[in-house]
Each structure stands twice: as C-alpha cells, then as structure tokens.
Amino acid sequence: MDSFPEVTVSSFSFKTGTPAANVVMDVRFLPDPRQLEESNPFITGQHGEVEKFIMSHNCFEPFFNAMTQKIVCVLQDTATRGQSKLSIAFGCTAGKHRSVFVAEYLTRWLRHRFCDMKVNVQHRDMVCNESEMLLDLDQALEGNNMEVQEPSFPGIGPLMTCTYHPDTHHLNVVSQPEQPQSCPQMNNMLLSGLKNIKMLRQKRQRNSLPNPAQCFESTPTLIA
C-alpha cells in the first residue's frame, strides 16, 4: 500500500438514519448489552463491562476476522484510487453500545496494524446526559441555520453496506452506486436525524413521567 488514507470510524443508531459513509455495517446481530443499564443507566460501548459482555459470546471473533479482511481490501482499493479519506460506520439499535464498542475495537486494531495511519473515531448518537443533548439540539435546530461542509467521500471510492450472518459466518457485501450529495441535501439529512433524536428523547421523558391518576390514592372511609 503506497499511502494510507485518513480513516474515520463511527457509530450510529438506525433509529436516526444511516449516515453517508464508504462502508456501513449492521452490528445488530451482536448480543444486546442493554440489560447492563440496570446497574449503570449511562453505560456505553466504551465501558469495559460492555466489551466483556459482547466478547463472551462466540459470534464476535468470527465477525471481526471477516470484517477486518474486508476492511484491508477496501483500504488497498482506496490507496490504489488515490483517495485521501475513508469512512466506516457501524450501526445498532440505539447507537450507544454495540456499534460504539465495535467502532472503538476496530479503531484500536487499525492503529496497531497500521502505525502510520491516521484513524479518527466518532460516536454520533452516544449520549450520557440527555438534558444536555436536548439543549444542544434546540440550539442546533433553532432557525435551521446549520452549515455542513461538503464531505470528501461521496463520489470517490467504494460505497457499500455489509451484513454479517452469524449462522454461516458470511459477510454479505452490497455495493452501492456512487451518488454525490450536495451540501443542501446533507443539511436536510442531518437536520432530519437531529429532529428524530430529539423526538425520541422527548418521548422517553414523557413515558417516564408518572400517571397523574396514579399519584392520588383513595383514602379509605372510616365507619364509626
């Protein structure tokens, strides 16, 4: 490989939409560690407990081996094309646990395997403090005046979605047509995703509120 592209590894929630990336991988087949939230409501894929939970299941290692083989091929193709950047996105249901863990794990693997490669990691939907997130969303959505820089990857390099089948240990890869998107289109997509996040958080807050009818218990009548 003549030169290494700058790689951005990210995580996301399918609830808020699939991001534009060269490679998109669905990791919802991995065991869901959401049960760990019972002891720590703010636990994410960056915590060791989540790593231990996922690594304790036999499906992760075969998936990671198949996935890294594909990633190496994509890196070689990227270098051949002369592309300077490559984006890899992992998605799960909430974008907080499985996708975050896999993104962090791959980032460590890439940095160890390719010492000269610049690897960034981002977590789009991982939130620990929901009140702060809602405030940030209100500020971002105010006036719909967000500005998004033109991404460097659409129209250049491979665009593919990958799904792993743990029963057969097969990584299914579907190539997508290269369709560059303009800045207005990217703005609309990002705003839509932010609005979806805000509505999901507000719905969760409403569901957590007690029922007013249950706040008052009937007082038993005393008969003399």
PDB file of all heavy atoms in Angstrom, residues 14-49:
ATOM      1  N   PHE A  14     -29.667   3.234  14.002  1.00  0.00           N
ATOM      2  CA  PHE A  14     -30.534   3.130  12.831  1.00  0.00           C
ATOM      3  C   PHE A  14     -31.834   3.914  13.020  1.00  0.00           C
ATOM      4  O   PHE A  14     -32.499   4.251  12.045  1.00  0.00           O
ATOM      5  CB  PHE A  14     -30.845   1.658  12.535  1.00  0.00           C
ATOM      6  CG  PHE A  14     -29.760   0.951  11.779  1.00  0.00           C
ATOM      7  CD1 PHE A  14     -28.873   0.103  12.423  1.00  0.00           C
ATOM      8  CD2 PHE A  14     -29.616   1.142  10.412  1.00  0.00           C
ATOM      9  CE1 PHE A  14     -27.871  -0.549  11.724  1.00  0.00           C
ATOM     10  CE2 PHE A  14     -28.613   0.496   9.698  1.00  0.00           C
ATOM     11  CZ  PHE A  14     -27.738  -0.351  10.366  1.00  0.00           C
ATOM     12  N   LYS A  15     -32.198   4.201  14.273  1.00  0.00           N
ATOM     13  CA  LYS A  15     -33.421   4.964  14.537  1.00  0.00           C
ATOM     14  C   LYS A  15     -33.339   6.372  13.984  1.00  0.00           C
ATOM     15  O   LYS A  15     -34.360   6.953  13.630  1.00  0.00           O
ATOM     16  CB  LYS A  15     -33.682   5.033  16.049  1.00  0.00           C
ATOM     17  CG  LYS A  15     -34.035   3.711  16.699  1.00  0.00           C
ATOM     18  CD  LYS A  15     -34.269   3.910  18.187  1.00  0.00           C
ATOM     19  CE  LYS A  15     -34.636   2.606  18.875  1.00  0.00           C
ATOM     20  NZ  LYS A  15     -34.848   2.794  20.341  1.00  0.00           N
ATOM     21  N   THR A  16     -32.134   6.916  13.918  1.00  0.00           N
ATOM     22  CA  THR A  16     -31.962   8.291  13.461  1.00  0.00           C
ATOM     23  C   THR A  16     -31.391   8.373  12.051  1.00  0.00           C
ATOM     24  O   THR A  16     -31.001   9.445  11.596  1.00  0.00           O
ATOM     25  CB  THR A  16     -31.046   9.069  14.432  1.00  0.00           C
ATOM     26  OG1 THR A  16     -29.809   8.361  14.584  1.00  0.00           O
ATOM     27  CG2 THR A  16     -31.703   9.201  15.796  1.00  0.00           C
ATOM     28  N   GLY A  17     -31.330   7.247  11.364  1.00  0.00           N
ATOM     29  CA  GLY A  17     -30.936   7.261   9.968  1.00  0.00           C
ATOM     30  C   GLY A  17     -29.504   6.814   9.734  1.00  0.00           C
ATOM     31  O   GLY A  17     -28.639   6.974  10.596  1.00  0.00           O
ATOM     32  N   THR A  18     -29.278   6.249   8.554  1.00  0.00           N
ATOM     33  CA  THR A  18     -27.951   5.771   8.173  1.00  0.00           C
ATOM     34  C   THR A  18     -27.106   6.921   7.649  1.00  0.00           C
ATOM     35  O   THR A  18     -27.551   7.669   6.787  1.00  0.00           O
ATOM     36  CB  THR A  18     -28.068   4.685   7.092  1.00  0.00           C
ATOM     37  OG1 THR A  18     -28.913   3.637   7.560  1.00  0.00           O
ATOM     38  CG2 THR A  18     -26.704   4.116   6.746  1.00  0.00           C
ATOM     39  N   PRO A  19     -25.899   7.101   8.150  1.00  0.00           N
ATOM     40  CA  PRO A  19     -25.060   8.205   7.682  1.00  0.00           C
ATOM     41  C   PRO A  19     -24.449   7.909   6.319  1.00  0.00           C
ATOM     42  O   PRO A  19     -24.408   6.757   5.870  1.00  0.00           O
ATOM     43  CB  PRO A  19     -23.968   8.284   8.761  1.00  0.00           C
ATOM     44  CG  PRO A  19     -23.831   6.871   9.230  1.00  0.00           C
ATOM     45  CD  PRO A  19     -25.212   6.286   9.187  1.00  0.00           C
ATOM     46  N   ALA A  20     -23.978   8.951   5.668  1.00  0.00           N
ATOM     47  CA  ALA A  20     -23.226   8.778   4.427  1.00  0.00           C
ATOM     48  C   ALA A  20     -21.826   8.321   4.784  1.00  0.00           C
ATOM     49  O   ALA A  20     -21.112   8.994   5.517  1.00  0.00           O
ATOM     50  CB  ALA A  20     -23.185  10.093   3.649  1.00  0.00           C
ATOM     51  N   ALA A  21     -21.445   7.148   4.310  1.00  0.00           N
ATOM     52  CA  ALA A  21     -20.126   6.601   4.609  1.00  0.00           C
ATOM     53  C   ALA A  21     -19.724   5.658   3.486  1.00  0.00           C
ATOM     54  O   ALA A  21     -20.579   5.157   2.749  1.00  0.00           O
ATOM     55  CB  ALA A  21     -20.134   5.866   5.954  1.00  0.00           C
ATOM     56  N   ASN A  22     -18.427   5.429   3.350  1.00  0.00           N
ATOM     57  CA  ASN A  22     -17.958   4.494   2.329  1.00  0.00           C
ATOM     58  C   ASN A  22     -18.382   3.072   2.642  1.00  0.00           C
ATOM     59  O   ASN A  22     -18.765   2.312   1.755  1.00  0.00           O
ATOM     60  CB  ASN A  22     -16.432   4.559   2.211  1.00  0.00           C
ATOM     61  CG  ASN A  22     -15.934   5.905   1.735  1.00  0.00           C
ATOM     62  OD1 ASN A  22     -15.363   6.656   2.504  1.00  0.00           O
ATOM     63  ND2 ASN A  22     -16.149   6.228   0.478  1.00  0.00           N
ATOM     64  N   VAL A  23     -18.298   2.702   3.913  1.00  0.00           N
ATOM     65  CA  VAL A  23     -18.679   1.357   4.343  1.00  0.00           C
ATOM     66  C   VAL A  23     -19.631   1.481   5.526  1.00  0.00           C
ATOM     67  O   VAL A  23     -19.309   2.148   6.514  1.00  0.00           O
ATOM     68  CB  VAL A  23     -17.453   0.518   4.751  1.00  0.00           C
ATOM     69  CG1 VAL A  23     -17.880  -0.886   5.165  1.00  0.00           C
ATOM     70  CG2 VAL A  23     -16.438   0.447   3.613  1.00  0.00           C
ATOM     71  N   VAL A  24     -20.794   0.867   5.428  1.00  0.00           N
ATOM     72  CA  VAL A  24     -21.776   0.854   6.513  1.00  0.00           C
ATOM     73  C   VAL A  24     -21.998  -0.595   6.932  1.00  0.00           C
ATOM     74  O   VAL A  24     -22.289  -1.449   6.094  1.00  0.00           O
ATOM     75  CB  VAL A  24     -23.115   1.485   6.089  1.00  0.00           C
ATOM     76  CG1 VAL A  24     -24.143   1.370   7.211  1.00  0.00           C
ATOM     77  CG2 VAL A  24     -22.916   2.947   5.706  1.00  0.00           C
ATOM     78  N   MET A  25     -21.848  -0.879   8.228  1.00  0.00           N
ATOM     79  CA  MET A  25     -22.002  -2.240   8.730  1.00  0.00           C
ATOM     80  C   MET A  25     -23.073  -2.289   9.817  1.00  0.00           C
ATOM     81  O   MET A  25     -23.085  -1.469  10.729  1.00  0.00           O
ATOM     82  CB  MET A  25     -20.680  -2.771   9.288  1.00  0.00           C
ATOM     83  CG  MET A  25     -19.626  -2.983   8.230  1.00  0.00           C
ATOM     84  SD  MET A  25     -18.293  -4.065   8.799  1.00  0.00           S
ATOM     85  CE  MET A  25     -17.258  -4.107   7.332  1.00  0.00           C
ATOM     86  N   ASP A  26     -23.953  -3.272   9.689  1.00  0.00           N
ATOM     87  CA  ASP A  26     -25.022  -3.503  10.649  1.00  0.00           C
ATOM     88  C   ASP A  26     -24.523  -4.502  11.695  1.00  0.00           C
ATOM     89  O   ASP A  26     -24.219  -5.651  11.372  1.00  0.00           O
ATOM     90  CB  ASP A  26     -26.247  -4.055   9.910  1.00  0.00           C
ATOM     91  CG  ASP A  26     -27.462  -4.195  10.806  1.00  0.00           C
ATOM     92  OD1 ASP A  26     -27.318  -4.113  12.042  1.00  0.00           O
ATOM     93  OD2 ASP A  26     -28.570  -4.393  10.274  1.00  0.00           O
ATOM     94  N   VAL A  27     -24.450  -4.069  12.960  1.00  0.00           N
ATOM     95  CA  VAL A  27     -23.972  -4.965  14.021  1.00  0.00           C
ATOM     96  C   VAL A  27     -25.083  -5.312  15.012  1.00  0.00           C
ATOM     97  O   VAL A  27     -24.823  -5.692  16.156  1.00  0.00           O
ATOM     98  CB  VAL A  27     -22.756  -4.360  14.770  1.00  0.00           C
ATOM     99  CG1 VAL A  27     -21.574  -4.231  13.833  1.00  0.00           C
ATOM    100  CG2 VAL A  27     -23.102  -3.011  15.388  1.00  0.00           C
ATOM    101  N   ARG A  28     -26.322  -5.222  14.566  1.00  0.00           N
ATOM    102  CA  ARG A  28     -27.442  -5.551  15.451  1.00  0.00           C
ATOM    103  C   ARG A  28     -27.555  -7.041  15.730  1.00  0.00           C
ATOM    104  O   ARG A  28     -28.330  -7.443  16.598  1.00  0.00           O
ATOM    105  CB  ARG A  28     -28.755  -5.023  14.850  1.00  0.00           C
ATOM    106  CG  ARG A  28     -28.903  -3.509  14.956  1.00  0.00           C
ATOM    107  CD  ARG A  28     -30.144  -3.000  14.270  1.00  0.00           C
ATOM    108  NE  ARG A  28     -30.051  -3.136  12.823  1.00  0.00           N
ATOM    109  CZ  ARG A  28     -30.971  -2.661  11.982  1.00  0.00           C
ATOM    110  NH1 ARG A  28     -32.052  -2.045  12.458  1.00  0.00           N
ATOM    111  NH2 ARG A  28     -30.820  -2.812  10.678  1.00  0.00           N
ATOM    112  N   PHE A  29     -26.799  -7.877  15.019  1.00  0.00           N
ATOM    113  CA  PHE A  29     -26.811  -9.319  15.286  1.00  0.00           C
ATOM    114  C   PHE A  29     -26.065  -9.647  16.575  1.00  0.00           C
ATOM    115  O   PHE A  29     -26.266 -10.728  17.156  1.00  0.00           O
ATOM    116  CB  PHE A  29     -26.161 -10.078  14.117  1.00  0.00           C
ATOM    117  CG  PHE A  29     -24.678  -9.878  14.025  1.00  0.00           C
ATOM    118  CD1 PHE A  29     -23.815 -10.744  14.678  1.00  0.00           C
ATOM    119  CD2 PHE A  29     -24.140  -8.810  13.311  1.00  0.00           C
ATOM    120  CE1 PHE A  29     -22.437 -10.561  14.605  1.00  0.00           C
ATOM    121  CE2 PHE A  29     -22.781  -8.616  13.241  1.00  0.00           C
ATOM    122  CZ  PHE A  29     -21.924  -9.501  13.896  1.00  0.00           C
ATOM    123  N   LEU A  30     -25.194  -8.731  17.030  1.00  0.00           N
ATOM    124  CA  LEU A  30     -24.450  -8.972  18.258  1.00  0.00           C
ATOM    125  C   LEU A  30     -25.398  -8.945  19.458  1.00  0.00           C
ATOM    126  O   LEU A  30     -26.435  -8.275  19.420  1.00  0.00           O
ATOM    127  CB  LEU A  30     -23.364  -7.906  18.435  1.00  0.00           C
ATOM    128  CG  LEU A  30     -22.187  -7.958  17.459  1.00  0.00           C
ATOM    129  CD1 LEU A  30     -21.297  -6.732  17.622  1.00  0.00           C
ATOM    130  CD2 LEU A  30     -21.368  -9.234  17.651  1.00  0.00           C
ATOM    131  N   PRO A  31     -25.072  -9.660  20.540  1.00  0.00           N
ATOM    132  CA  PRO A  31     -25.932  -9.660  21.725  1.00  0.00           C
ATOM    133  C   PRO A  31     -26.089  -8.250  22.290  1.00  0.00           C
ATOM    134  O   PRO A  31     -25.105  -7.503  22.380  1.00  0.00           O
ATOM    135  CB  PRO A  31     -25.204 -10.590  22.705  1.00  0.00           C
ATOM    136  CG  PRO A  31     -23.788 -10.625  22.222  1.00  0.00           C
ATOM    137  CD  PRO A  31     -23.871 -10.499  20.733  1.00  0.00           C
ATOM    138  N   ASP A  32     -27.307  -7.899  22.638  1.00  0.00           N
ATOM    139  CA  ASP A  32     -27.615  -6.551  23.109  1.00  0.00           C
ATOM    140  C   ASP A  32     -27.281  -6.435  24.601  1.00  0.00           C
ATOM    141  O   ASP A  32     -27.908  -7.103  25.427  1.00  0.00           O
ATOM    142  CB  ASP A  32     -29.095  -6.250  22.876  1.00  0.00           C
ATOM    143  CG  ASP A  32     -29.416  -4.774  23.074  1.00  0.00           C
ATOM    144  OD1 ASP A  32     -28.554  -4.044  23.601  1.00  0.00           O
ATOM    145  OD2 ASP A  32     -30.531  -4.351  22.711  1.00  0.00           O
ATOM    146  N   PRO A  33     -26.321  -5.578  24.958  1.00  0.00           N
ATOM    147  CA  PRO A  33     -25.936  -5.440  26.370  1.00  0.00           C
ATOM    148  C   PRO A  33     -26.789  -4.430  27.132  1.00  0.00           C
ATOM    149  O   PRO A  33     -26.377  -3.955  28.195  1.00  0.00           O
ATOM    150  CB  PRO A  33     -24.488  -4.968  26.275  1.00  0.00           C
ATOM    151  CG  PRO A  33     -24.455  -4.166  25.025  1.00  0.00           C
ATOM    152  CD  PRO A  33     -25.461  -4.784  24.077  1.00  0.00           C
ATOM    153  N   ARG A  34     -27.966  -4.101  26.615  1.00  0.00           N
ATOM    154  CA  ARG A  34     -28.776  -3.068  27.253  1.00  0.00           C
ATOM    155  C   ARG A  34     -29.172  -3.440  28.682  1.00  0.00           C
ATOM    156  O   ARG A  34     -29.469  -2.572  29.501  1.00  0.00           O
ATOM    157  CB  ARG A  34     -30.031  -2.794  26.417  1.00  0.00           C
ATOM    158  CG  ARG A  34     -30.673  -1.445  26.701  1.00  0.00           C
ATOM    159  CD  ARG A  34     -31.814  -1.158  25.759  1.00  0.00           C
ATOM    160  NE  ARG A  34     -31.384  -1.250  24.362  1.00  0.00           N
ATOM    161  CZ  ARG A  34     -32.198  -1.006  23.327  1.00  0.00           C
ATOM    162  NH1 ARG A  34     -33.459  -0.696  23.550  1.00  0.00           N
ATOM    163  NH2 ARG A  34     -31.739  -1.110  22.098  1.00  0.00           N
ATOM    164  N   GLN A  35     -29.176  -4.716  28.981  1.00  0.00           N
ATOM    165  CA  GLN A  35     -29.516  -5.153  30.331  1.00  0.00           C
ATOM    166  C   GLN A  35     -28.533  -4.611  31.364  1.00  0.00           C
ATOM    167  O   GLN A  35     -28.859  -4.486  32.546  1.00  0.00           O
ATOM    168  CB  GLN A  35     -29.529  -6.680  30.401  1.00  0.00           C
ATOM    169  CG  GLN A  35     -28.211  -7.323  30.013  1.00  0.00           C
ATOM    170  CD  GLN A  35     -28.261  -8.830  29.975  1.00  0.00           C
ATOM    171  OE1 GLN A  35     -28.185  -9.485  31.001  1.00  0.00           O
ATOM    172  NE2 GLN A  35     -28.418  -9.381  28.780  1.00  0.00           N
ATOM    173  N   LEU A  36     -27.327  -4.264  30.914  1.00  0.00           N
ATOM    174  CA  LEU A  36     -26.332  -3.713  31.832  1.00  0.00           C
ATOM    175  C   LEU A  36     -26.718  -2.326  32.324  1.00  0.00           C
ATOM    176  O   LEU A  36     -26.136  -1.834  33.301  1.00  0.00           O
ATOM    177  CB  LEU A  36     -24.961  -3.655  31.144  1.00  0.00           C
ATOM    178  CG  LEU A  36     -24.379  -4.997  30.667  1.00  0.00           C
ATOM    179  CD1 LEU A  36     -23.067  -4.784  29.943  1.00  0.00           C
ATOM    180  CD2 LEU A  36     -24.183  -5.957  31.842  1.00  0.00           C
ATOM    181  N   GLU A  37     -27.678  -1.681  31.655  1.00  0.00           N
ATOM    182  CA  GLU A  37     -28.128  -0.364  32.092  1.00  0.00           C
ATOM    183  C   GLU A  37     -28.847  -0.423  33.436  1.00  0.00           C
ATOM    184  O   GLU A  37     -29.043   0.611  34.081  1.00  0.00           O
ATOM    185  CB  GLU A  37     -29.053   0.258  31.037  1.00  0.00           C
ATOM    186  CG  GLU A  37     -28.339   0.669  29.758  1.00  0.00           C
ATOM    187  CD  GLU A  37     -29.264   1.371  28.788  1.00  0.00           C
ATOM    188  OE1 GLU A  37     -30.500   1.228  28.941  1.00  0.00           O
ATOM    189  OE2 GLU A  37     -28.764   2.053  27.886  1.00  0.00           O
ATOM    190  N   GLU A  38     -29.281  -1.618  33.848  1.00  0.00           N
ATOM    191  CA  GLU A  38     -29.949  -1.743  35.139  1.00  0.00           C
ATOM    192  C   GLU A  38     -29.015  -1.344  36.279  1.00  0.00           C
ATOM    193  O   GLU A  38     -29.450  -0.758  37.270  1.00  0.00           O
ATOM    194  CB  GLU A  38     -30.444  -3.177  35.333  1.00  0.00           C
ATOM    195  CG  GLU A  38     -31.521  -3.584  34.333  1.00  0.00           C
ATOM    196  CD  GLU A  38     -31.946  -5.028  34.518  1.00  0.00           C
ATOM    197  OE1 GLU A  38     -31.425  -5.687  35.452  1.00  0.00           O
ATOM    198  OE2 GLU A  38     -32.791  -5.498  33.738  1.00  0.00           O
ATOM    199  N   SER A  39     -27.736  -1.649  36.151  1.00  0.00           N
ATOM    200  CA  SER A  39     -26.760  -1.278  37.177  1.00  0.00           C
ATOM    201  C   SER A  39     -26.085   0.052  36.884  1.00  0.00           C
ATOM    202  O   SER A  39     -25.584   0.724  37.793  1.00  0.00           O
ATOM    203  CB  SER A  39     -25.688  -2.363  37.318  1.00  0.00           C
ATOM    204  OG  SER A  39     -25.031  -2.587  36.076  1.00  0.00           O
ATOM    205  N   ASN A  40     -26.067   0.458  35.602  1.00  0.00           N
ATOM    206  CA  ASN A  40     -25.465   1.736  35.215  1.00  0.00           C
ATOM    207  C   ASN A  40     -26.246   2.315  34.037  1.00  0.00           C
ATOM    208  O   ASN A  40     -26.025   1.928  32.888  1.00  0.00           O
ATOM    209  CB  ASN A  40     -23.997   1.545  34.831  1.00  0.00           C
ATOM    210  CG  ASN A  40     -23.320   2.856  34.458  1.00  0.00           C
ATOM    211  OD1 ASN A  40     -23.930   3.933  34.504  1.00  0.00           O
ATOM    212  ND2 ASN A  40     -22.058   2.796  34.081  1.00  0.00           N
ATOM    213  N   PRO A  41     -27.189   3.252  34.298  1.00  0.00           N
ATOM    214  CA  PRO A  41     -28.027   3.793  33.221  1.00  0.00           C
ATOM    215  C   PRO A  41     -27.246   4.495  32.120  1.00  0.00           C
ATOM    216  O   PRO A  41     -27.759   4.658  31.016  1.00  0.00           O
ATOM    217  CB  PRO A  41     -28.942   4.786  33.959  1.00  0.00           C
ATOM    218  CG  PRO A  41     -28.878   4.388  35.393  1.00  0.00           C
ATOM    219  CD  PRO A  41     -27.517   3.820  35.605  1.00  0.00           C
ATOM    220  N   PHE A  42     -26.023   4.917  32.412  1.00  0.00           N
ATOM    221  CA  PHE A  42     -25.245   5.684  31.442  1.00  0.00           C
ATOM    222  C   PHE A  42     -24.131   4.860  30.811  1.00  0.00           C
ATOM    223  O   PHE A  42     -23.211   5.404  30.209  1.00  0.00           O
ATOM    224  CB  PHE A  42     -24.650   6.925  32.112  1.00  0.00           C
ATOM    225  CG  PHE A  42     -25.677   7.850  32.690  1.00  0.00           C
ATOM    226  CD1 PHE A  42     -25.720   8.088  34.051  1.00  0.00           C
ATOM    227  CD2 PHE A  42     -26.624   8.456  31.886  1.00  0.00           C
ATOM    228  CE1 PHE A  42     -26.676   8.928  34.592  1.00  0.00           C
ATOM    229  CE2 PHE A  42     -27.578   9.301  32.416  1.00  0.00           C
ATOM    230  CZ  PHE A  42     -27.612   9.540  33.777  1.00  0.00           C
ATOM    231  N   ILE A  43     -24.221   3.554  30.913  1.00  0.00           N
ATOM    232  CA  ILE A  43     -23.172   2.703  30.355  1.00  0.00           C
ATOM    233  C   ILE A  43     -23.209   2.746  28.831  1.00  0.00           C
ATOM    234  O   ILE A  43     -24.283   2.842  28.219  1.00  0.00           O
ATOM    235  CB  ILE A  43     -23.321   1.253  30.868  1.00  0.00           C
ATOM    236  CG1 ILE A  43     -22.036   0.458  30.634  1.00  0.00           C
ATOM    237  CG2 ILE A  43     -24.521   0.553  30.217  1.00  0.00           C
ATOM    238  CD1 ILE A  43     -22.013  -0.882  31.340  1.00  0.00           C
ATOM    239  N   THR A  44     -22.034   2.721  28.204  1.00  0.00           N
ATOM    240  CA  THR A  44     -21.922   2.763  26.747  1.00  0.00           C
ATOM    241  C   THR A  44     -20.912   1.715  26.294  1.00  0.00           C
ATOM    242  O   THR A  44     -20.308   1.006  27.105  1.00  0.00           O
ATOM    243  CB  THR A  44     -21.453   4.146  26.256  1.00  0.00           C
ATOM    244  OG1 THR A  44     -20.067   4.329  26.622  1.00  0.00           O
ATOM    245  CG2 THR A  44     -22.290   5.261  26.869  1.00  0.00           C
ATOM    246  N   GLY A  45     -20.732   1.653  24.996  1.00  0.00           N
ATOM    247  CA  GLY A  45     -19.776   0.712  24.430  1.00  0.00           C
ATOM    248  C   GLY A  45     -18.333   1.029  24.754  1.00  0.00           C
ATOM    249  O   GLY A  45     -17.437   0.244  24.422  1.00  0.00           O
ATOM    250  N   GLN A  46     -18.088   2.152  25.402  1.00  0.00           N
ATOM    251  CA  GLN A  46     -16.733   2.488  25.814  1.00  0.00           C
ATOM    252  C   GLN A  46     -16.384   1.902  27.177  1.00  0.00           C
ATOM    253  O   GLN A  46     -15.250   2.015  27.620  1.00  0.00           O
ATOM    254  CB  GLN A  46     -16.563   4.012  25.858  1.00  0.00           C
ATOM    255  CG  GLN A  46     -16.627   4.670  24.484  1.00  0.00           C
ATOM    256  CD  GLN A  46     -16.499   6.178  24.559  1.00  0.00           C
ATOM    257  OE1 GLN A  46     -17.022   6.819  25.478  1.00  0.00           O
ATOM    258  NE2 GLN A  46     -15.821   6.764  23.588  1.00  0.00           N
ATOM    259  N   HIS A  47     -17.367   1.310  27.843  1.00  0.00           N
ATOM    260  CA  HIS A  47     -17.132   0.726  29.155  1.00  0.00           C
ATOM    261  C   HIS A  47     -16.680  -0.735  29.023  1.00  0.00           C
ATOM    262  O   HIS A  47     -17.144  -1.462  28.148  1.00  0.00           O
ATOM    263  CB  HIS A  47     -18.391   0.790  30.014  1.00  0.00           C
ATOM    264  CG  HIS A  47     -18.746   2.174  30.462  1.00  0.00           C
ATOM    265  ND1 HIS A  47     -19.387   3.083  29.638  1.00  0.00           N
ATOM    266  CD2 HIS A  47     -18.546   2.805  31.650  1.00  0.00           C
ATOM    267  CE1 HIS A  47     -19.566   4.215  30.296  1.00  0.00           C
ATOM    268  NE2 HIS A  47     -19.071   4.078  31.511  1.00  0.00           N
ATOM    269  N   GLY A  48     -15.807  -1.138  29.926  1.00  0.00           N
ATOM    270  CA  GLY A  48     -15.275  -2.491  29.892  1.00  0.00           C
ATOM    271  C   GLY A  48     -16.324  -3.562  30.078  1.00  0.00           C
ATOM    272  O   GLY A  48     -16.199  -4.668  29.536  1.00  0.00           O
ATOM    273  N   GLU A  49     -17.402  -3.237  30.808  1.00  0.00           N
ATOM    274  CA  GLU A  49     -18.455  -4.222  31.026  1.00  0.00           C
ATOM    275  C   GLU A  49     -19.130  -4.620  29.718  1.00  0.00           C
ATOM    276  O   GLU A  49     -19.480  -5.788  29.515  1.00  0.00           O
ATOM    277  CB  GLU A  49     -19.508  -3.684  32.004  1.00  0.00           C
ATOM    278  CG  GLU A  49     -19.002  -3.444  33.417  1.00  0.00           C
ATOM    279  CD  GLU A  49     -18.419  -2.051  33.583  1.00  0.00           C
ATOM    280  OE1 GLU A  49     -18.056  -1.423  32.569  1.00  0.00           O
ATOM    281  OE2 GLU A  49     -18.316  -1.603  34.730  1.00  0.00           O
TER     282      GLU A  49
END
